[in-house]
Amino acid sequence: MTPEPRELQELVRELHQQAAPWQPAGLGSRLNWGPPVMGGSATVSCRRLSGIVEHSPGDFTVTALAGTPLVELQAELARHRQWLAVDWPWGSGLGGQASGSLGGLVARGLAGGLRQRYLGVRDQIIGLELIRSDGTRARAGGKVVKNVAGYDLMRLMAGSWGSLGLISSLTLRTMPEPPQRRGLKLEGPLEALGQLAAWLLGSSLSPERIDWWRPSAAQEDGTGLLISLASINALTLNEQISCIAAKAAALAITAQTLEPAELASLVGQSQGSETGSSDWLLRLAVRPNQTTALLNDPALAGLPVVLGAGSGLGLAWATASALPTYKVEALRRHCQQVGGYLTVLRQPASSKLPAWLDAPSRPMIEAIKRQFDPKQQLSRGRLPGVNLPGVEPPPS
């Protein structure tokens, strides 16, 4: 269902009165990610809830409706030499039309390598409006960066996967577009690269991204580090590059300087711009000091993978023929054993692995769900941190 903006609230009220199951959606580009929603659920799209409500370049804030395509928002901000400091979703490359909507980006809550410097998606949100499962409109936050009023619904809705409400609009912080950006591609022995990553993370330098990088299955032995640096001053940028290159040389690591176009091309590869049709898409999470051990795991050998050196979060993807289900299970066990987790964002039709396992905070997650959605209408079976094939509505 794709209602007009004026019809949206009344539609949600009607669904609530009928106790009908439904799932919120933006442009519908990634509805197949995560666990399947229980059969019979209607999809309520925010496609027509689109457009920029207010942009304050001087305050570095923008308010936009949730169905606004991310590519359109970034293009408008670029006219003012600003940008939203988040990664394009996997499978859309850099600014592709498949980048999805702003609301979908927040609902998934997945951040890529840019979180090394700019933190995650939820940290960019200043305020939001949502429609609850009963049709009630709610608002949290405000329109200024230093706003602290109200309950922090922003962090709760980020990564909620449409299970708590329908996000209708968002106010986010923007950033000045760096006038200078260059990169480094580092290749060498895994142990030496790990030493360089640890040194870089502990240094006073502040790269935009420090990613373990192997975007192609053909590069089985070619795992490297992809570093992006940005500055307002070319001299400062060159000094940072020289400093990292000198450290790399001392560790017998090859360093290739990347101009902006070359860097953008490699970042696009690492975001799956050429492999968006892969059967498997896995979200990996380990402690930063466990990233080299994860990359050495035989189950990950030869698979494309991009992993944040500072966050321990990343993605791996593959075709069904290249990655048997048992290897995914082995990877999940590895992540769990070192205090992390693995989320199955996409999988072949023949595989029935749970997208995520129970989180230690499952009782709290379920309690929040009951408060926001007492009839269990929203995205049944898709509650982050709760491993259930589906959620039955309570007795009437």
Side-chain angles (χ1 to χ4, degrees):
M1 295 182 283
T2 312
E4 295 291 340
R6 66 180 181 276
E7 304 169 337
L8 183 58
Q9 187 174 16
E10 186 57 33
L11 172 60
V12 174
R13 285 173 177 165
E14 290 177 4
L15 291 170
H16 182 71
Q17 291 172 359
Q18 300 165 9
W22 60 283
Q23 63 171 332
L27 304 181
S29 58
R30 288 166 178 81
L31 288 179
N32 64 335
W33 283 23
V37 174
M38 289 181 65
S41 292
T43 298
V44 178
S45 171
C46 294
R47 181 179 297 272
R48 292 177 181 168
L49 198 67
S50 178
I52 296 175
V53 178
E54 181 182 357
H55 178 209
S56 301
D59 293 331
F60 292 97
T61 63
V62 63
T63 299
L65 300 178
T68 306
L70 179 60
V71 64
E72 292 183 10
L73 177 59
Q74 293 284 34
E76 174 61 25
L77 294 176
R79 293 179 57 245
H80 300 272
R81 297 183 180 179
Q82 294 182 2
W83 68 309
L84 186 60
V86 298
D87 293 277
W88 297 100
W90 186 91
S92 62
L94 296 176
Q97 290 299 322
S99 62
S101 68
L102 182 61
L105 182 79
V106 172
R108 285 186 301 275
L110 303 176
L114 287 175
R115 71 180 302 150
Q116 173 61 38
R117 180 166 176 174
Y118 304 110
L119 304 178
V121 175
R122 68 180 189 177
D123 299 290
Q124 313 303 325
I125 307 173
I126 300 169
L128 62 75
E129 292 186 359
L130 62 97
I131 299 178
R132 292 180 40 154
S133 63
D134 61 358
T136 301
R137 289 188 179 273
R139 178 182 298 175
K143 294 183 179 181
V144 295
V145 173
K146 291 185 178 180
N147 175 75
V148 295
Y151 183 68
D152 194 354
L153 281 178
M154 288 82 77
R155 290 176 181 265
L156 197 58
M157 296 300 293
S160 63
W161 287 75
S163 63
L164 300 179
L166 184 150
I167 300 170
S168 54
S169 73
L170 290 148
T171 300
L172 305 108
R173 70 181 76 233
T174 64
M175 301 285 291
E177 179 66 43
Q180 304 287 335
R181 178 179 280 123
R182 296 173 72 190
L184 281 168
K185 180 182 175 185
L186 305 173
E187 295 178 305
L190 200 61
E191 183 179 348
L193 288 169
Q195 293 178 30
L196 189 143
W199 167 81
L200 188 52
L201 290 168
S203 72
S204 59
L205 303 177
S206 56
E208 290 184 305
R209 66 172 73 243
I210 310 171
D211 288 348
W212 288 104
W213 187 79
R214 188 174 67 211
S216 171
Q219 296 177 322
E220 181 171 350
D221 299 321
T223 305
L225 286 171
L226 183 63
I227 299 172
S228 172
L229 299 129
S231 177
I232 61 173
N233 184 280
L235 179 60
T236 300
L237 195 62
N238 290 333
E239 288 176 348
Q240 293 185 61
I241 290 174
S242 297
C243 181
I244 298 172
K247 182 66 175 181
L251 294 170
I253 293 172
T254 302
Q256 176 188 350
T257 303
L258 304 170
E259 296 302 320
E262 296 174 301
L263 175 63
S265 176
L266 294 185
V267 169
Q269 291 179 39
S270 70
Q271 293 173 334
S273 58
E274 299 175 359
T275 53
S277 60
S278 294
D279 301 298
W280 288 101
L281 180 60
L282 309 174
R283 177 72 164 172
L284 307 171
V286 295
R287 293 187 178 92
N289 62 358
Q290 294 290 334
T291 54
T292 54
L294 178 62
L295 292 167
N296 269 323
D297 191 298
L300 203 57
L303 297 184
V305 60
V306 176
L307 193 66
S311 67
L313 298 169
L315 295 171
W317 58 95
T319 60
S321 58
L323 183 59
T325 301
Y326 76 88
K327 284 194 174 183
V328 178
E329 294 174 314
L331 272 176
R332 173 168 269 168
R333 287 193 297 272
H334 179 125
C335 292
Q336 287 180 293
Q337 289 167 0
V338 296
Y341 61 87
L342 181 149
T343 300
V344 180
L345 297 177
R346 229 164 59 180
Q347 59 185 305
S350 58
S351 177
K352 303 299 180 184
L353 291 181
W356 44 64
L357 302 181
D358 287 340
S361 55
R362 173 175 172 169
M364 180 181 292
I365 294 170
E366 291 180 318
I368 293 171
K369 171 70 170 177
R370 288 192 295 270
Q371 291 293 319
F372 277 80
D373 183 19
K375 293 187 178 182
Q376 303 292 311
Q377 291 178 268
L378 294 172
S379 304
R380 288 183 180 172
R382 183 178 284 177
L383 184 59
V386 176
N387 176 22
L388 285 178
V391 179
E392 295 298 329
S396 56

